[in-house]
Amino acid sequence: MSTKYKRGSFQLMKSMNRSTILNMIREEGPISRADIAKETKLTPPTVSNIVKELISTQFVVETTQGMSKGGRKPTLLEINAEQFFTIGVDVGTTQMKFVITNLFGEIREFTTLEIPPYPAHEDILSIMKQGIHHLIKTNKESFDKFLGIGVGMHGIVDPEEGRSLFAPAFQLNDIPIKEVLESEFDMIVKVENDARAMTLGEYWFGHGNDADNMLGVNVGNGIGAGLMVKGRLFHGEHNLAGEIGHITIDLSGPKCTCGNYGCLQTLAAGPAIAERAKKELKAGRASLIHDLVDGDFEKVDGCMVYEAATQQDAFSIELLNQTGRYLGIGLTNLIHTINPKRMIIGGGVSGAGRFLMDGIEETIQSRGLTDKAKETSIVLSKLGEHASAIGACVLVLEEFFIRQD
Ligand SMILES: [Zn+2]
């Protein structure tokens, strides 16, 4: 079924100079035409022509709010942030999150839909369509202000084809996300792994903006990482780069969904936290969690452990600290492999971040190879629970702001 929305005549700006200037205005605006010419080494007439075009497409507006150096206030340029919008979708293991953001990645609308257990291909695609239709209809902006749709999907994703190759939580292969959403909504659709989307979001609008070499680590029901190398996401030969949840941490550890034993995510992801808590509570450990679940240990989940920790429950604090130490071992391996400037921890478990950080930092301090390795900055996500959805929006913004070559 095709869309009933009416598209504006929107032109993709693939010219290298246009996207360079647009991105400079985004990063450094308000900025004058003269400063753009100086920094890009383009001639003033070239800059003038391109800026004229950017103003006519309404991506950029003139402002006089800049510093006055005596006399006439200079006319500066800035991004017309509320003129265009993108739609971001984060497909987790039990929920899909949907956001509409402006050109600065600021959320204007959001909604969340549940994913039923054991979904089929059609279920995933139909929930996706439903959420996007809902946001577009409830939003006051006209349809031609939407630049495109970005999707961050857990598991292995082929970003070129826009397909989910393998979604482990659903045990589904080969979901043609881009193809289906493009025909439904008639706009640009970009698909990426959720941890990579999160990393991209932090790089543009969060804590990664001064770090061209960095990692985003998504800790939720599983663990995945996005690797940013020289300002570009790194995918590896077969889109497997960043599957750090399956780094072996303990040869005799718990069995993982992948079939191996002692993978990082069997020790440090949300379900692993819940499992360890259940085991120890059953063995008689004292904890506030007893009251929270009214004696029914099957109700214990990761959030509960966090909740108890915030109420100073010693058992939960120690358990999260131990989780932080496991994560720290995984992150130390990554420091020694990638040597990033910064690592950003996001995802569901990062809500318990302050209880994880001590364990993480302590482990990196004791295991880092050199002083520089030990100094690697580790921070919690700035964009929080919507980081992957906002990052999915950036997948679309990249098409406009970053030179495509
Ligand atoms: Zn595994």
Side-chain angles (χ1 to χ4, degrees):
M1 192 191 77
S2 166
T3 170
K4 356 181 213 326
Y5 306 119
K6 231 172 140 37
R7 286 292 288 146
S9 55
F10 201 82
Q11 295 293 312
L12 247 188
M13 298 185 296
K14 290 226 170 186
S15 143
M16 186 176 96
N17 290 341
R18 267 177 297 188
S19 46
T20 302
I21 290 177
L22 185 59
N23 206 38
M24 183 165 290
I25 298 171
R26 177 182 79 82
E27 289 183 333
E28 299 180 28
I31 184 171
S32 68
R33 288 170 175 80
D35 285 341
I36 293 173
K38 213 184 293 167
E39 287 198 41
T40 56
K41 299 195 168 63
L42 294 167
T43 64
T46 304
V47 170
S48 246
N49 279 333
I50 293 174
V51 164
K52 201 171 152 195
E53 203 182 326
L54 290 172
I55 290 173
S56 78
T57 56
Q58 297 184 299
F59 262 96
V60 167
V61 282
E62 288 183 326
T63 167
T64 50
Q65 287 171 347
M67 297 283 287
S68 172
K69 290 172 189 157
R72 198 164 66 93
K73 277 191 175 182
T75 302
L76 301 179
L77 302 162
E78 64 182 11
I79 295 295
N80 197 5
E82 303 294 334
Q83 186 61 29
F84 294 106
F85 299 86
T86 46
I87 297 167
V89 185
D90 170 17
V91 186
T93 55
T94 59
Q95 284 186 330
M96 254 184 239
K97 292 181 185 146
F98 301 83
V99 299
I100 288 178
T101 64
N102 68 7
L103 292 179
F104 286 150
E106 294 160 342
I107 294 179
R108 289 292 169 259
E109 298 276 349
F110 70 92
T111 191
T112 303
L113 294 177
E114 299 295 317
I115 303 170
Y118 313 108
H121 289 73
E122 302 74 54
D123 297 326
I124 297 300
L125 293 166
S126 105
I127 297 169
M128 237 177 240
K129 288 192 262 186
Q130 191 192 332
I132 297 168
H133 277 297
H134 173 77
L135 276 194
I136 291 174
K137 280 175 189 158
T138 51
N139 192 265
K140 61 184 190 319
E141 307 301 339
S142 67
F143 185 72
D144 58 7
K145 287 192 167 192
F146 289 102
L147 297 178
I149 300 165
V151 178
M153 172 89 185
H154 80 271
I156 315 292
V157 169
D158 177 349
E160 299 288 321
E161 297 289 322
R163 297 175 96 86
S164 156
L165 298 179
F166 177 53
F170 311 143
Q171 289 295 308
L172 292 178
N173 290 299
D174 207 25
I175 311 174
I177 299 172
K178 179 182 163 77
E179 188 187 320
V180 168
L181 294 186
E182 273 181 353
S183 86
E184 179 80 10
F185 295 99
D186 188 25
M187 55 172 106
I188 299 167
V189 176
K190 305 292 288 181
V191 187
E192 185 54 278
N193 163 272
D194 60 349
R196 284 194 203 116
M198 179 200 117
T199 306
L200 192 62
E202 289 289 335
Y203 182 62
W204 274 54
F205 299 123
H207 285 318
N209 58 2
D210 61 337
D212 281 352
N213 294 315
M214 66 154 215
L215 292 179
V217 182
N218 195 12
V219 189
N221 285 323
I223 300 178
L227 281 54
M228 182 68 72
V229 180
K230 294 184 179 167
R232 290 291 174 101
L233 287 173
F234 181 77
H235 293 84
E237 205 58 35
H238 300 290
N239 294 305
L240 272 169
E243 283 297 322
I244 63 163
H246 302 286
I247 289 178
T248 305
I249 299 293
D250 179 358
L251 285 176
S252 50
K255 190 168 187 184
C256 183
T257 48
C258 73
N260 295 319
Y261 290 86
C263 292
L264 178 60
Q265 68 185 39
T266 67
L267 299 164
I273 296 173
E275 280 312 310
R276 281 212 312 284
K278 278 182 208 172
K279 205 170 142 192
E280 298 209 21
L281 292 170
K282 281 178 186 165
R285 283 288 300 269
S287 165
L288 259 182
I289 298 177
H290 284 284
D291 299 338
L292 291 175
V293 298
D294 211 11
D296 181 1
F297 296 130
E298 291 315 307
K299 286 188 192 159
V300 175
D301 63 19
C303 291
M304 224 166 261
V305 178
Y306 166 59
E307 203 183 310
T310 58
Q311 296 178 42
Q312 305 304 317
D313 178 49
F315 165 75
S316 300
I317 291 172
E318 168 49 30
L319 200 145
L320 291 175
N321 199 278
Q322 173 66 38
T323 306
R325 290 198 290 272
Y326 285 131
L327 272 175
I329 295 174
L331 297 188
T332 308
N333 288 337
L334 292 172
I335 290 173
H336 295 156
T337 314
I338 310 285
N339 187 199
K341 177 171 182 178
R342 182 162 308 132
M343 292 182 170
I344 299 175
I345 318 280
V349 170
S350 67
R354 62 193 168 103
F355 297 104
L356 300 173
M357 281 309 234
D358 287 349
I360 292 174
E361 276 168 1
E362 183 188 301
T363 308
I364 292 173
Q365 281 306 312
S366 72
R367 290 174 179 258
L369 200 56
T370 63
D371 287 346
K372 288 289 175 202
K374 293 175 192 195
E375 284 166 18
T376 308
S377 132
I378 316 284
V379 296
L380 293 171
S381 159
K382 180 179 175 186
L383 305 178
E385 61 167 331
H386 290 302
S388 287
I390 293 171
C393 292
V394 177
L395 296 169
V396 176
L397 294 180
E398 273 196 327
E399 292 287 304
F400 297 86
F401 286 78
I402 302 295
R403 55 188 267 199
Q404 309 289 319
D405 52 8

XYZ file of all heavy atoms in Angstrom, residues 177-233:
431
model
N 13.835 -3.866 5.702
C 13.285 -2.656 6.320
C 13.222 -1.465 5.347
O 12.189 -0.833 5.169
C 14.119 -2.275 7.565
C 14.051 -3.410 8.598
C 13.645 -0.962 8.175
C 14.991 -3.240 9.782
N 14.367 -1.180 4.714
C 14.437 -0.007 3.825
C 13.414 -0.109 2.690
O 12.658 0.830 2.440
C 15.859 0.089 3.262
C 16.118 1.229 2.306
C 17.572 1.105 1.823
C 17.832 1.921 0.580
N 17.976 3.358 0.871
N 13.393 -1.269 2.058
C 12.503 -1.476 0.918
C 11.032 -1.234 1.313
O 10.299 -0.501 0.641
C 12.695 -2.917 0.449
C 12.010 -3.280 -0.828
C 12.147 -4.787 -1.079
O 13.249 -5.347 -0.822
O 11.150 -5.392 -1.493
N 10.640 -1.807 2.437
C 9.237 -1.716 2.853
C 8.888 -0.288 3.286
O 7.850 0.261 2.891
C 8.950 -2.722 4.000
C 7.604 -2.463 4.641
C 9.034 -4.145 3.459
N 9.771 0.356 4.080
C 9.448 1.713 4.559
C 9.505 2.733 3.423
O 8.717 3.680 3.394
C 10.385 2.124 5.695
C 10.251 1.328 7.009
C 11.139 1.941 8.095
C 8.805 1.255 7.491
N 10.431 2.552 2.483
C 10.488 3.489 1.352
C 9.208 3.433 0.532
O 8.690 4.459 0.099
C 11.710 3.186 0.468
C 12.948 3.905 0.957
C 14.187 3.650 0.096
O 14.128 2.793 -0.821
O 15.205 4.302 0.358
N 8.696 2.241 0.324
C 7.487 2.176 -0.494
C 6.271 2.660 0.297
O 5.327 3.207 -0.269
C 7.285 0.772 -1.079
O 6.598 -0.031 -0.179
N 6.304 2.522 1.606
C 5.170 2.989 2.417
C 5.160 4.510 2.556
O 4.108 5.138 2.505
C 5.249 2.339 3.814
C 4.147 2.747 4.784
C 2.834 1.998 4.546
O 2.829 1.034 3.763
O 1.823 2.397 5.152
N 6.349 5.107 2.759
C 6.386 6.535 3.120
C 7.001 7.435 2.047
O 7.003 8.653 2.198
C 7.142 6.722 4.434
C 6.445 6.069 5.597
C 6.843 4.830 6.074
C 5.368 6.701 6.195
C 6.187 4.227 7.139
C 4.707 6.109 7.270
C 5.115 4.866 7.742
N 7.594 6.853 1.020
C 8.172 7.636 -0.057
C 9.151 8.697 0.447
O 9.029 9.890 0.147
C 7.039 8.306 -0.873
C 7.570 8.971 -2.124
O 8.639 8.551 -2.601
O 6.928 9.930 -2.605
N 10.077 8.304 1.295
C 11.171 9.199 1.673
C 12.438 8.394 1.909
O 12.408 7.160 1.878
C 10.798 10.066 2.881
C 10.326 9.364 4.119
S 10.173 10.559 5.491
C 8.430 10.775 5.640
N 13.547 9.099 2.124
C 14.825 8.412 2.346
C 14.725 7.528 3.584
O 14.232 7.978 4.621
C 15.947 9.440 2.602
C 16.129 10.350 1.401
C 17.256 8.750 2.972
C 16.986 11.558 1.731
N 15.200 6.304 3.498
C 15.233 5.423 4.666
C 16.656 4.886 4.839
O 17.259 4.390 3.882
C 14.238 4.243 4.507
C 14.364 3.283 5.698
C 12.803 4.754 4.392
N 17.196 5.047 6.032
C 18.534 4.525 6.347
C 18.412 3.547 7.509
O 17.658 3.796 8.452
C 19.477 5.666 6.759
C 19.599 6.801 5.774
C 20.299 6.410 4.499
C 21.772 6.195 4.701
N 22.443 5.837 3.417
N 19.146 2.450 7.431
C 19.069 1.435 8.490
C 20.484 1.129 8.990
O 21.425 1.056 8.201
C 18.414 0.133 7.961
C 18.183 -0.856 9.105
C 17.089 0.442 7.268
N 20.609 1.001 10.286
C 21.924 0.734 10.873
C 21.742 -0.088 12.142
O 20.639 -0.131 12.711
C 22.595 2.094 11.155
C 24.009 2.094 11.666
C 24.995 1.308 10.808
O 25.030 0.080 10.972
O 25.727 1.929 10.004
N 22.781 -0.735 12.594
C 22.759 -1.432 13.883
C 22.505 -0.399 15.006
O 22.965 0.736 14.928
C 24.114 -2.132 14.058
C 24.376 -2.527 15.483
O 24.903 -1.738 16.251
N 23.989 -3.729 15.854
N 21.772 -0.804 16.050
C 21.362 0.170 17.071
C 22.530 0.769 17.858
O 22.514 1.957 18.193
C 20.303 -0.429 18.023
C 20.798 -1.660 18.769
O 21.877 -2.198 18.425
O 20.105 -2.102 19.710
N 23.547 -0.043 18.142
C 24.695 0.492 18.886
C 25.473 1.493 18.027
O 25.966 2.508 18.521
C 25.618 -0.632 19.342
N 25.547 1.204 16.728
C 26.214 2.163 15.831
C 25.394 3.440 15.728
O 25.939 4.543 15.702
C 26.407 1.561 14.434
C 27.517 0.564 14.385
C 27.929 0.239 12.950
N 28.573 -1.062 12.965
C 28.102 -2.133 12.348
N 27.028 -2.060 11.599
N 28.741 -3.274 12.447
N 24.081 3.307 15.664
C 23.224 4.505 15.615
C 23.433 5.331 16.881
O 23.592 6.551 16.823
C 21.757 4.107 15.463
N 23.462 4.666 18.033
C 23.678 5.372 19.297
C 25.004 6.141 19.267
O 25.082 7.308 19.660
C 23.703 4.353 20.442
C 23.934 4.955 21.796
S 24.523 3.704 22.971
C 26.144 4.372 23.335
N 26.030 5.489 18.759
C 27.363 6.099 18.689
C 27.341 7.343 17.801
O 27.908 8.382 18.143
C 28.380 5.066 18.151
O 28.286 3.900 18.957
C 29.792 5.611 18.182
N 26.662 7.215 16.677
C 26.560 8.345 15.751
C 25.805 9.504 16.407
O 26.184 10.677 16.269
C 25.819 7.879 14.489
C 25.832 8.792 13.284
C 27.257 9.009 12.779
C 24.981 8.189 12.164
N 24.736 9.188 17.132
C 23.971 10.213 17.841
C 24.831 10.942 18.855
O 24.813 12.176 18.939
N 25.620 10.194 19.613
C 26.498 10.822 20.614
C 27.588 11.653 19.931
O 28.007 12.682 20.439
C 27.139 9.756 21.512
C 26.163 9.097 22.477
C 25.702 10.021 23.615
O 26.436 10.970 23.953
O 24.600 9.787 24.146
N 28.047 11.183 18.778
C 29.097 11.905 18.051
C 28.583 13.260 17.555
O 29.290 14.260 17.605
C 29.567 11.040 16.870
C 30.691 11.629 16.061
C 31.935 11.876 16.632
C 30.510 11.932 14.719
C 32.974 12.413 15.887
C 31.542 12.466 13.955
C 32.776 12.698 14.545
O 33.793 13.235 13.799
N 27.348 13.295 17.112
C 26.787 14.555 16.594
C 26.250 15.458 17.695
O 26.460 16.664 17.680
C 25.639 14.256 15.622
C 26.085 14.008 14.222
C 27.017 13.092 13.814
C 25.626 14.671 13.040
N 27.142 13.141 12.456
C 26.312 14.098 11.951
C 24.683 15.675 12.802
C 26.095 14.509 10.639
C 24.462 16.073 11.499
C 25.172 15.502 10.425
N 25.492 14.869 18.611
C 24.726 15.704 19.545
C 24.995 15.390 21.012
O 24.341 15.938 21.890
C 23.225 15.524 19.274
C 22.806 15.938 17.883
C 22.169 15.036 17.037
C 23.040 17.221 17.432
C 21.768 15.416 15.761
C 22.644 17.612 16.152
C 22.012 16.710 15.310
N 25.911 14.490 21.302
C 26.111 14.095 22.695
C 27.538 14.300 23.161
O 28.173 15.315 22.839
N 28.062 13.313 23.876
C 29.379 13.454 24.486
C 30.535 13.087 23.561
O 31.673 13.050 23.999
C 29.450 12.578 25.744
C 28.693 13.154 26.900
N 28.730 14.491 27.224
C 27.878 12.580 27.814
C 27.968 14.708 28.277
N 27.432 13.569 28.654
N 30.229 12.789 22.290
C 31.320 12.342 21.411
C 31.825 13.409 20.467
O 32.681 13.148 19.636
N 31.309 14.648 20.599
C 31.548 15.606 19.508
C 32.976 16.096 19.363
O 33.311 16.710 18.377
C 30.560 16.779 19.591
C 30.665 17.485 20.917
O 31.499 17.115 21.745
N 29.833 18.475 21.129
N 33.839 15.820 20.349
C 35.240 16.217 20.168
C 36.139 14.998 19.988
O 37.348 15.088 20.099
C 35.708 17.032 21.377
C 35.630 16.204 22.654
O 34.837 15.233 22.675
O 36.352 16.508 23.608
N 35.530 13.838 19.723
C 36.325 12.608 19.668
C 36.088 11.871 18.354
O 35.081 11.196 18.185
C 35.974 11.702 20.852
N 37.018 12.007 17.404
C 36.870 11.329 16.111
C 37.110 9.827 16.223
O 36.687 9.062 15.368
C 37.837 11.925 15.093
C 37.296 13.235 14.536
O 36.133 13.568 14.838
O 38.040 13.916 13.816
N 37.856 9.425 17.261
C 38.036 7.991 17.518
C 37.360 7.676 18.840
O 37.840 8.090 19.895
C 39.518 7.618 17.609
C 40.210 7.822 16.270
O 39.697 7.436 15.229
N 41.357 8.477 16.293
N 36.245 7.023 18.753
C 35.519 6.742 19.986
C 34.626 5.515 19.827
O 34.419 5.012 18.729
C 34.684 7.949 20.388
C 33.563 8.251 19.407
S 32.276 9.101 20.294
C 30.824 8.521 19.562
N 34.119 5.057 20.966
C 33.235 3.902 20.968
C 31.969 4.235 21.724
O 32.022 4.883 22.766
C 33.876 2.739 21.727
C 35.087 2.065 21.139
C 35.554 0.967 22.081
C 34.698 1.453 19.815
N 30.839 3.772 21.232
C 29.608 3.831 21.999
C 29.278 2.405 22.390
O 29.301 1.509 21.542
N 29.018 2.175 23.658
C 28.733 0.817 24.120
C 27.296 0.770 24.621
O 26.930 1.500 25.538
C 29.723 0.398 25.230
C 29.448 -1.042 25.661
C 31.158 0.541 24.745
N 26.505 -0.053 23.972
C 25.084 -0.137 24.279
C 24.855 -1.371 25.172
O 25.019 -2.495 24.728
C 24.344 -0.289 22.937
C 22.860 -0.030 23.050
O 22.382 0.480 24.057
N 22.130 -0.392 22.006
N 24.529 -1.124 26.430
C 24.341 -2.235 27.365
C 22.866 -2.327 27.729
O 22.339 -1.456 28.420
C 25.176 -2.038 28.655
C 25.125 -3.304 29.507
C 26.609 -1.666 28.330
N 22.196 -3.333 27.212
C 20.778 -3.516 27.514
C 20.527 -4.991 27.736
O 21.184 -5.607 28.573
N 19.625 -5.573 26.945
C 19.412 -7.019 27.031
C 20.598 -7.781 26.439
O 20.814 -8.944 26.749
C 18.120 -7.407 26.325
C 16.914 -7.027 27.160
O 16.942 -7.127 28.386
N 15.869 -6.548 26.507
N 21.322 -7.128 25.562
C 22.589 -7.658 25.044
C 23.608 -6.527 25.147
O 23.308 -5.478 25.715
N 24.793 -6.733 24.580
C 25.790 -5.658 24.575
C 26.362 -5.527 23.167
O 26.791 -6.525 22.577
C 26.935 -5.943 25.577
C 26.379 -6.068 27.007
C 27.992 -4.835 25.516
C 27.426 -6.395 28.061
N 26.325 -4.321 22.642
C 26.911 -4.078 21.327
C 27.671 -2.772 21.360
O 27.436 -1.940 22.238
N 28.592 -2.584 20.415
C 29.329 -1.328 20.379
C 29.320 -0.761 18.976
O 29.215 -1.489 17.992
C 30.776 -1.539 20.842
N 29.395 0.573 18.914
C 29.608 1.250 17.647
C 31.019 1.790 17.669
O 31.432 2.400 18.653
N 31.766 1.532 16.610
C 33.147 1.998 16.536
C 33.210 3.193 15.597
O 32.864 3.078 14.428
C 34.053 0.893 15.971
C 34.511 -0.232 16.896
C 33.352 -0.922 17.574
C 35.336 -1.255 16.104
N 33.645 4.330 16.127
C 33.812 5.513 15.292
C 35.307 5.688 15.062
O 36.063 5.870 16.001
C 33.239 6.729 16.052
C 33.283 8.029 15.322
S 32.196 8.112 13.905
C 30.584 8.197 14.675
N 35.722 5.562 13.813
C 37.136 5.694 13.494
C 37.293 6.862 12.519
O 36.672 6.875 11.462
C 37.690 4.391 12.866
C 39.165 4.545 12.530
C 37.479 3.208 13.809
N 38.086 7.846 12.928
C 38.282 9.058 12.126
C 36.960 9.678 11.694
O 36.773 10.079 10.542
C 39.159 8.761 10.910
C 40.583 8.380 11.311
C 41.455 8.187 10.108
C 42.875 7.833 10.513
N 43.682 7.346 9.416
N 35.995 9.701 12.596
C 34.732 10.373 12.322
C 33.750 9.582 11.477
O 32.714 10.101 11.072
N 34.085 8.335 11.169
C 33.161 7.498 10.388
C 32.895 6.194 11.139
O 33.812 5.645 11.750
C 33.763 7.164 9.012
C 33.838 8.363 8.062
C 32.439 8.783 7.641
N 32.446 10.012 6.838
C 32.324 10.014 5.513
N 32.205 8.890 4.855
N 32.310 11.157 4.861
N 31.681 5.689 11.046
C 31.373 4.410 11.667
C 32.142 3.303 10.950
O 32.233 3.295 9.720
C 29.875 4.113 11.578
C 28.971 4.935 12.493
C 27.512 4.644 12.174
C 29.262 4.668 13.965
